[in-house]
Amino acid sequence: MEKILILGLGNILFSDEGLGVHMAHYLQEKYRFEPAVDVMDGGTLAYQLMDHIALYDHVLIVDAALMSQSPGSIFAFRYEDAVKWGWHITAGAHEIEIVGVLTSLKLLGELPDVQFIAMEPYDIVSTHIGLSPVVRDRMTALEQVIIEKLGSWGIQCTPVREVSFDRSDNDLLDIAPDKTGKENSHVFGASAQSRQGS
């Protein structure tokens, strides 16, 4: 069975620059994936993700991308497109590094099928935890594009709970314990990886 990773990238401290991380936690909390899919908050780790990415057959990277389009515009492209267009399309230094990571994996013969689903950000400058209103209003559309892509890979995505992007700043920073005292990986911003499925 092919292994699939949804990898959300970004820095939640700079508003829309963290939209990929927000989406990763949203998907992790809302859906059950069959067959199982790994969902990971990659944050700004970049080269630290290299060995991990190599473990998969398909990697779907969710991120902000500077494409000189209207904020909230959504794009789907492959690793090869990112290389062709230039590394400057992505919104932060860690995204420049992630393309370098993928290029290194290609040189080693370990590059999986990598596809990006990205959104044009509105604000990546303000030191603010949370999405701008224009990007917040487009996250459902971004979610739908991701679900359709997973469906094309044979993944059934079943909603298991209601989830909202409207979380407090503390929820984005803290890993909240559940009633048993165990770490709750469903809080946005928790640096957690989840293997989901039946």
Side-chain angles (χ1 to χ4, degrees), residues 73-134:
S73 299
I74 297 169
F75 315 94
F77 53 93
R78 303 178 63 86
Y79 154 75
E80 291 80 7
D81 296 319
V83 171
K84 179 174 62 177
W85 297 336
W87 295 3
H88 62 281
I89 65 168
T90 50
H94 62 275
E95 288 95 340
I96 294 174
E97 291 180 352
I98 199 65
V99 178
V101 168
L102 300 176
T103 299
S104 296
L105 287 171
K106 182 177 181 180
L107 292 172
L108 293 170
E110 298 179 356
L111 181 68
D113 170 44
V114 177
Q115 302 194 33
F116 290 79
I117 294 180
M119 183 187 292
E120 184 86 27
Y122 175 77
D123 180 6
I124 60 171
V125 177
S126 299
T127 305
H128 168 69
I129 301 169
L131 302 171
S132 68
V134 64

Side-chain angles (χ1 to χ4, degrees), residues 48-68:
Q48 297 176 55
L49 298 171
M50 187 169 173
D51 290 341
H52 195 78
I53 291 172
L55 299 175
Y56 293 88
D57 300 292
H58 300 281
V59 177
L60 184 60
I61 295 177
V62 184
D63 205 351
L66 299 174
M67 306 288 280
S68 299

Side-chain angles (χ1 to χ4, degrees), residues 21-33 37 39-41 158-168 170-180 182-197:
V21 171
H22 287 281
M23 181 56 74
H25 285 279
Y26 175 87
L27 296 171
Q28 179 183 357
E29 182 172 351
K30 181 175 180 178
Y31 289 98
R32 179 177 69 250
F33 301 106
V37 169
V39 181
M40 184 176 185
D41 169 354
T158 304
V160 294
R161 59 178 59 86
E162 291 293 327
V163 182
S164 172
F165 284 103
D166 297 323
R167 298 296 184 92
S168 70
N170 287 337
D171 285 337
L172 290 164
L173 289 175
D174 297 336
I175 300 175
D178 63 18
K179 293 181 180 179
T180 66
K182 295 180 179 178
E183 185 178 285
N184 180 0
S185 63
H186 295 308
V187 175
F188 291 17
S191 298
Q193 177 186 346
S194 173
R195 183 72 172 174
Q196 299 192 24

